[in-house]
Amino acid sequence: MLSTKLPSIEEYLGSNVHLLPQTDYLRSLHTVIRDRNARRDDFVLTSESIIRMLIEAGLNLLPLEKCEVTTPVGATYEGLRLPSRICGVSVVRAGESMEGPLRAVCPSIRIGKILMQRDKKTKLPHLYYTSLPSDIAESQVLLLEPMLATGGTALATIQLLLDKGVAEENIVFVNLITVPEGISAVCRRYPKVRIVTSSIEERLNENAYMVPGIGDFGDRFFGTDI
């Protein structure tokens, strides 16, 4: 049974955890995806709008490089550009929903995949499949997973990236919604990983579903909830 005492996450907010500005517009988008009666096309379109906002916030956390360009009037503009090596890594299957918005922002980005699922008997995460760029150890990584609940799968996935040589501080974990339990689990184990999310839910219920939550994101996004 899940503990009724929620972990404190105040120390992580603004440092480890980057929450999108809680604007009225964002709340209107969440109203759509949280509606149990929402049509799937509305759910998909609205989810992708939020995910794109999250991707852009995640990119803003990367170490951008100085870059001078000449404007059409011949002036010099001292600008910035994204690092040359960025890799997206989606956690199959729900994380694949975030690949489209990522490609919309970074069309040429390489995307790796990890299939990590909890074993029904042991309740522990089990790695079934992985396909990652050969030079991922030198890359800035955007880890894509819409839901961060208990944190078990997230911890195993992050450890896999570390085992592949990725620096902990080079991982930005992009997720749609999370809860204090998941935030605490990830930030305590991996304090250099940054989390970008659009909502911190109240808690997990007795079935490990987020409250108020959005249900099973993968089923709703891919239409397998019927």
Side-chain angles (χ1 to χ4, degrees):
M1 181 176 290
L2 294 171
S3 172
T4 57
K5 184 178 180 181
L6 295 178
S8 173
I9 60 171
E10 291 299 320
E11 63 182 294
Y12 305 127
L13 297 177
S15 53
N16 308 71
V17 180
H18 299 264
L19 180 65
L20 288 185
Q22 301 296 287
T23 63
D24 288 345
Y25 176 61
L26 179 60
R27 189 174 182 85
S28 74
L29 297 179
H30 270 275
T31 301
V32 175
I33 65 174
R34 292 175 188 275
D35 185 353
R36 66 189 301 174
N37 297 316
R39 299 189 317 176
R40 191 169 77 88
D41 55 348
D42 289 333
F43 182 86
V44 170
L45 181 63
T46 307
S47 296
E48 289 182 336
S49 294
I50 301 174
I51 291 169
R52 178 155 180 167
M53 296 164 65
L54 290 165
I55 294 294
E56 291 173 346
L59 291 171
N60 191 53
L61 296 177
L62 301 184
L64 276 68
E65 304 165 354
K66 292 183 178 181
C67 177
E68 288 188 355
V69 296
T70 303
T71 73
V73 298
T76 299
Y77 178 76
E78 296 182 359
L80 296 169
R81 64 184 175 191
L82 291 171
S84 57
R85 291 186 177 180
I86 307 176
C87 175
V89 175
S90 64
V91 180
V92 180
R93 141 185 95 146
E96 293 176 309
S97 65
M98 308 175 81
E99 293 179 9
L102 176 57
R103 287 202 182 281
V105 179
C106 302
S108 63
I109 195 168
R110 295 171 300 161
I111 298 179
K113 294 179 183 288
I114 295 174
L115 174 55
M116 186 87 68
Q117 293 182 337
R118 189 171 66 169
D119 186 276
K120 293 182 178 180
K121 292 183 178 180
T122 66
K123 306 300 181 184
L124 298 174
H126 180 75
L127 176 64
Y128 288 91
Y129 173 80
T130 179
S131 179
L132 302 171
S134 59
D135 63 346
I136 193 170
E138 287 77 46
S139 299
Q140 300 288 326
V141 175
L142 295 180
L143 180 60
L144 310 175
E145 170 61 85
M147 314 282 279
L148 172 57
T150 62
T153 299
L155 294 176
T157 303
I158 293 170
Q159 186 58 55
L160 186 152
L161 292 174
L162 297 182
D163 292 343
K164 295 292 184 179
V166 180
E168 186 177 322
E169 60 270 23
N170 289 349
I171 301 173
V172 176
F173 186 14
V174 183
N175 67 81
L176 188 66
I177 65 173
T178 184
V179 283
E181 295 93 327
I183 289 174
S184 179
V186 171
C187 291
R188 282 190 287 108
R189 179 81 65 84
Y190 303 113
K192 295 180 182 179
V193 170
R194 273 96 32 99
I195 298 172
V196 179
T197 189
S198 72
S199 178
I200 301 174
E201 305 294 276
E202 296 174 8
R203 58 182 173 83
L204 294 174
N205 65 16
E206 62 276 8
N207 297 314
Y209 278 98
M210 300 185 197
V211 178
I214 57 174
D216 189 304
F217 181 88
D219 280 346
R220 296 184 71 192
F221 189 94
F222 293 109
T224 54
D225 55 341
I226 299 175

